[in-house]
Amino acid sequence: MIKDLYVSYSAGSDSSTQIKSISDYYDKLARQIYDREAYRYYEVEDTSLRDALVHIDMAAFGRHYNSKEPLLSGSYLSYYLETVYTEYSAGKLKVRINFPYNKPDMDRHFEKMEKLSKELKGDTDYETVLNVHNYLIDHFDYDDSSSMKNHTDIDGFKDGVMVCSGYGLATYYLLNKAGVDTRIITGYGGEGDGPSNHLWNMVKLDGQWYNLDVTWDDLGGENKTYNYFLKSDKDFPKHIRVGGYDIDGGTPAVAKTSYKHPFTFNDIQNPEMIPRLLFGVFILGIVILICIKKIKAKRENRLIEPNSESSGKV
């Protein structure tokens, strides 16, 4: 376990910042995690607030969402920490974070992710979502081993396998970084022996929110489906959302109908129109073949009839 891993990196970075409310604390804690700082000092003038922060319920931080800076949301960043310790001494609140990764590894990972987000950004938000969906499925597999060890994209990008939270965290970062509003949703998925803990995303396109589960669309290797790609609730079975996800606003409402995918002849990866196009081409080919046979038959009849008449006169 890495209890003191960050001390050498943070020894000279103590900063005094005023905390005025619980939500303000969540915002600043998210910034501390995002900066990969092991500890920071904060000023808290209100005594009751100070006591509340010392005994803070971190589960609420896991529902925190920053609408102005989505990548500074507790609902996302809480997956990149082990524990948070708070204590008040010498007139300041000390917040210490234990991370499961060292700072250089985290820095390198998010540098790669930022570059990848730029590479996957399409001409439209739809293309960006499609590119991210396909990239993650093509390059990673679901960890269905008994260990199910890789719960973040950091581990997943190292080993090439990860569980649902790894897919969801990567999707969240890549899309938000590219300017596409995306949320992390937690709950239960599946059936049979009973639903199990699950994580997926919601994505905003053309002013409406849609369900997106990259994990369940990954069939292994580069095999994929689009059964859980930009769907309404009625087209998104076996997913149960649990609880709230934001401190201020709740879970956004999902569109009543699944996303109507655009089609262009340049978009050879379109998830729904290409199968329809191929089926249409197949039907058109049969119709053309039938028409050719009918035309050919008529021509043959016209050639045969005059010959039989002349032979009769002779």
Side-chain angles (χ1 to χ4, degrees):
M1 302 297 289
I2 33 184
K3 297 298 183 184
D4 298 309
L5 191 58
Y6 275 37
V7 174
S8 61
Y9 296 110
S10 302
S13 61
D14 296 350
S15 60
S16 297
T17 306
Q18 185 92 23
I19 295 179
K20 299 180 180 179
S21 65
I22 294 291
S23 60
D24 185 32
Y25 170 71
Y26 289 147
D27 288 341
K28 289 180 171 60
L29 177 60
R31 168 59 72 179
Q32 182 177 344
I33 299 170
Y34 189 82
D35 291 340
R36 273 82 80 181
E37 293 285 354
Y39 62 87
R40 285 183 178 175
Y41 293 92
Y42 301 94
E43 295 180 351
V44 186
E45 295 181 355
D46 186 275
T47 304
S48 59
L49 175 60
R50 184 190 310 157
D51 294 338
L53 293 177
V54 171
H55 302 92
I56 194 73
D57 177 15
M58 288 303 297
F61 178 65
R63 299 189 295 270
H64 167 260
Y65 179 75
N66 187 327
S67 58
K68 295 180 180 179
E69 298 181 274
L71 293 178
L72 295 181
S73 299
S75 56
Y76 166 62
L77 294 170
S78 59
Y79 291 89
Y80 299 101
L81 57 84
E82 282 187 342
T83 52
V84 176
Y85 297 103
T86 56
E87 61 177 331
Y88 187 79
S89 63
K92 292 184 179 181
L93 182 76
K94 179 181 179 180
V95 178
R96 180 183 177 116
I97 301 173
N98 287 337
F99 294 87
Y101 314 97
N102 62 56
K103 188 176 187 300
D105 282 351
M106 293 184 75
D107 289 343
R108 281 191 293 269
H109 172 74
F110 287 109
E111 286 174 4
K112 292 179 181 178
M113 290 287 282
E114 182 174 4
K115 180 180 179 181
L116 180 59
S117 179
K118 293 177 181 178
E119 294 173 355
L120 296 177
K121 185 174 176 61
D123 294 333
T124 65
D125 286 348
Y126 171 79
E127 289 182 6
T128 301
V129 177
L130 181 64
N131 291 342
V132 169
H133 173 276
N134 291 347
Y135 178 89
L136 292 176
I137 292 176
D138 290 345
H139 289 81
F140 303 95
D141 287 321
Y142 182 77
D143 183 5
D144 56 3
S145 65
S146 58
S147 61
M148 299 183 68
K149 57 181 181 178
N150 292 341
H151 291 270
T152 71
D153 51 328
I154 295 180
D155 290 327
F157 274 54
K158 288 180 180 178
D159 299 340
V161 295
M162 52 190 173
V163 296
C164 59
S165 53
Y167 285 91
L169 294 173
T171 300
Y172 184 87
Y173 180 96
L174 293 171
L175 291 182
N176 275 303
K177 197 68 176 180
V180 180
D181 287 341
T182 308
R183 301 285 183 92
I184 289 174
I185 303 299
T186 57
Y188 300 102
E191 52 183 12
D193 295 334
S196 56
N197 293 331
H198 192 43
L199 183 150
W200 61 96
N201 299 98
M202 286 175 60
V203 176
K204 190 175 184 180
L205 288 179
D206 301 334
Q208 296 199 73
W209 289 91
Y210 299 90
N211 294 301
L212 173 66
D213 190 342
V214 179
T215 306
W216 281 18
D217 274 344
D218 192 345
L219 301 181
E222 296 185 6
N223 299 312
K224 64 179 72 70
T225 70
Y226 297 90
N227 294 332
Y228 302 96
F229 181 72
L230 302 180
K231 298 297 184 178
S232 64
D233 283 343
K234 66 181 179 64
D235 295 331
F236 199 67
K238 305 175 186 178
H239 288 74
I240 303 172
R241 290 190 289 270
V242 177
Y245 306 97
D246 303 342
I247 295 302
D248 56 351
T251 309
V254 180
K256 294 183 178 180
T257 58
S258 296
Y259 190 79
K260 185 177 181 181
H261 302 283
F263 173 76
T264 65
F265 285 102
N266 294 325
D267 185 11
I268 61 174
Q269 298 184 91
N270 189 283
E272 292 192 357
M273 293 304 297
I274 290 300
R276 297 177 187 176
L277 175 64
L278 294 176
F279 180 74
V281 170
F282 174 73
I283 296 299
L284 180 62
I286 293 177
V287 171
I288 292 175
L289 183 60
I290 294 173
C291 291
I292 291 175
K293 287 184 175 181
K294 287 184 176 180
I295 293 173
K296 186 177 180 181
K298 288 183 178 179
R299 287 180 177 178
E300 290 177 348
N301 289 336
R302 288 175 181 174
L303 291 174
I304 293 173
E305 290 175 357
N307 291 335
S308 58
E309 288 177 1
S310 59
S311 61
K313 291 177 181 180
V314 173

